[in-house]
Amino acid sequence: MTHNLLGPEPTLLPEHTDAQAALDSGTDPTSVAAEHPDYSEAWAALAERALAGGETVAAYAYARTGYHRGLDQLRRAGWKGFGPVPWEHRPNQGFLRALAVLGLAAERIGEAEEYERCKTFLADSDPAAAEATGLK
């Protein structure tokens, strides 16, 4: 990711080593979310699974939870509501994936304005995130 020298520094969310290791080892994301409720990647995994299973409202709810947990962490990390949130930093991916599913689920329930907002937010955070999640 190219950094704009005149813009804000990229925001990097903190590592969640135990939660990430649990997901990576195949622990069900429901268990990971219950044990680590502030871990956006678990909520994103739940949202993606629900969306793939046709459970759009559940996907929307899971994605909104992961999105808001990520926003809280971004703000604590110094993010001021704008600026890069790099996809290449694994801890950011949970937030960005939740944002993408939130947009996709919003589109499926007819929330066109929220879909567009999520799509723009994702691309503004990092175009690589839009590419990786398919929300572009």
Side-chain angles (χ1 to χ4, degrees), residues 25-40:
S25 71
T27 303
D28 188 282
T30 304
S31 297
V32 178
E35 197 164 318
H36 306 276
D38 64 339
Y39 185 53
S40 290

Side-chain angles (χ1 to χ4, degrees), residues 31-81:
S31 297
V32 178
E35 197 164 318
H36 306 276
D38 64 339
Y39 185 53
S40 290
E41 189 170 340
W43 295 105
L46 288 168
E48 291 163 346
R49 183 169 71 187
L51 194 66
E55 299 175 46
T56 305
V57 173
Y60 185 90
Y62 288 136
R64 182 155 299 284
T65 301
Y67 166 78
H68 280 289
R69 291 296 190 147
L71 277 180
D72 291 344
Q73 291 174 33
L74 282 169
R75 289 182 182 118
R76 283 194 299 272
W79 186 74
K80 303 292 186 211

Side-chain angles (χ1 to χ4, degrees), residues 80-97:
K80 303 292 186 211
F82 59 92
V85 181
W87 172 260
E88 64 196 22
H89 182 63
R90 168 82 186 262
N92 289 355
Q93 290 179 16
F95 165 74
L96 295 167
R97 287 170 49 202

Side-chain angles (χ1 to χ4, degrees), residues 60 64 102-118:
Y60 185 90
R64 182 155 299 284
L102 182 60
L104 293 169
E107 181 182 41
R108 290 187 187 178
I109 63 172
E111 290 285 337
E113 188 176 308
E114 183 165 28
Y115 166 75
E116 289 298 330
R117 181 185 61 78
C118 291

